[in-house]
């Protein structure tokens, strides 16, 4: 699928992986709409890339419907998410907060489904773009935690495991409509959460990856998004983008 001239929606596009993706798509000629809860940053990024911003809570299906009003996206990239940390039983003996677990599921998994499913319906209603009958592509963000969740990542790993498991059935559902569905499972990337750590800690984390032994950059995530969009044979798969890392228990 050619990117130039088509519309794209990027959730979490105000920072990190989402911002890099929004900038890449805009640079390739797409008309990008950013969904994020950080209005100040989202509006600034949208203005810089010649796109649009809409304040959308992805966990709220009605808010997603409102955010997509008037849009006809051909590309949907879901990067919005949170990464809470809590042990199943804490050092104080208390059980993992059910509310915290539900929040991770609501934002990371249900939020991804809300945007993906509603974008899928909008894509299915449009005319094909090529001889294959392609109408669009949806790219969701999982995590290596979906496969090797660490201590304290029960909620996060469960939510990202759901995103990974969603990929193939949704791709099969949308095959007759010419809409591809993929997921990327990033390893350790230099997102705002890690940027706040001391340089020596960042270096130590990056050294856990076999090669290259460093943190990934948001631009490298965006590069894979572009390859997925442009390569029509990529469908129904979760791609690990992790420098061959396999996460230890902690």
């Amino acid at each position: 699928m050619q990117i130039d001239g088509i519309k794209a929606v990027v959730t979490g596009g105000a920072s990190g992986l989402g911002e890099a993706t929004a900038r890449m798509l805009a640079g390739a000629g797409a008309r990008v709409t950013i969904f994020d809860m950080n209005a100040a940053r989202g509006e600034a990024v949208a203005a810089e890339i010649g796109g649009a911003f809409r304040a959308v809570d992805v966990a709220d299906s009605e808010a997603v419907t409102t955010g997509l009003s008037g849009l006809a996206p051909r590309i949907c990239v879901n990067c919005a998410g949170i990464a809470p940390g809590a042990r199943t039983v804490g050092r104080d003996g208390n059980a993992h907060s059910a509310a915290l677990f539900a929040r991770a599921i609501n934002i990371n998994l249900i939020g991804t489904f809300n945007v993906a499913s509603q974008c899928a319906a909008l894509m299915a209603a449009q005319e094909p773009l090529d001889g294959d009958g392609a109408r669009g592509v949806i790219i969701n963000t999982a995590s290596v935690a979906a496969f090797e969740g660490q201590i304290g990542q029960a909620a996060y790993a469960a939510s990202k495991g759901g995103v990974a498991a969603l990929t193939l059935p949704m791709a099969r559902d949308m095959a007759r409509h010419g809409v591809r569905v993929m997921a990327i499972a990033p390893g350790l990337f230099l997102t705002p959460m890690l940027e706040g750590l001391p340089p020596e800690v960042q270096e130590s984390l990056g050294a856990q990856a076999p090669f290259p032994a460093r943190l990934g950059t948001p631009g490298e995530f965006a590069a894979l998004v572009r390859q997925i969009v442009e390569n029509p044979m990529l469908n129904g798969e979760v791609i690990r983008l992790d420098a061959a890392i396999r996460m230890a228990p902690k």
Side-chain angles (χ1 to χ4, degrees):
M1 180 185 298
Q2 297 299 311
I3 297 174
D4 188 31
I6 63 177
K7 295 180 180 178
V9 169
V10 180
T11 74
S15 64
L17 305 180
E19 179 181 347
T21 297
R23 290 184 181 279
M24 178 279 295
L25 290 171
R31 290 167 286 173
V32 180
T33 298
I34 291 172
F35 286 4
D36 207 290
M37 294 298 289
N38 186 337
R41 181 61 186 162
E43 289 172 353
V45 173
E48 290 174 14
I49 66 174
F53 170 79
R54 297 186 180 184
V56 175
D57 177 359
V58 296
D60 183 339
S61 62
E62 292 184 2
V64 171
T65 300
T66 300
L68 289 171
S69 177
L71 299 181
R74 298 286 194 169
I75 300 171
C76 168
V77 186
N78 282 300
C79 294
I82 60 172
R87 294 183 181 228
T88 306
V89 177
R91 290 188 173 87
D92 56 5
N94 291 326
H96 192 304
S97 164
L100 179 63
F101 190 92
R103 184 166 183 261
I105 297 296
N106 285 336
I107 295 174
N108 295 353
L109 178 54
I110 295 176
T112 292
F113 175 78
N114 284 338
V115 179
S117 61
Q118 293 192 38
C119 281
L122 293 173
M123 292 172 186
Q126 299 181 64
E127 292 298 316
L129 291 167
D130 57 28
D132 287 336
R135 289 184 169 87
V137 59
I138 296 165
I139 304 170
N140 299 323
T141 304
S143 166
V144 295
F147 313 106
E148 298 118 35
Q150 296 185 292
I151 290 171
Q153 288 190 325
Y156 181 69
S159 68
K160 293 301 187 177
V163 172
L166 175 67
T167 308
L168 183 58
M170 183 174 278
R172 287 172 164 171
D173 284 347
M174 295 309 299
R176 67 190 182 96
H177 298 291
V179 176
R180 293 183 290 119
V181 182
M182 290 285 294
I184 300 173
L188 297 175
F189 272 70
L190 193 59
T191 58
M193 181 174 65
L194 293 186
E195 285 176 343
L197 297 176
E200 61 272 18
V201 176
Q202 293 182 24
E203 184 176 346
S204 175
L205 287 171
Q208 296 179 28
F211 185 80
R214 60 170 174 78
L215 298 175
T217 68
E220 289 166 332
F221 177 92
L224 180 54
V225 170
R226 179 165 189 163
Q227 177 58 214
I228 291 172
V229 172
E230 295 182 335
N231 191 328
M233 290 302 288
L234 288 170
N235 191 18
E237 184 59 272
V238 181
I239 300 177
R240 292 184 66 127
L241 186 65
D242 61 8
I245 198 169
R246 297 297 181 267
M247 302 302 292
K250 61 180 180 179

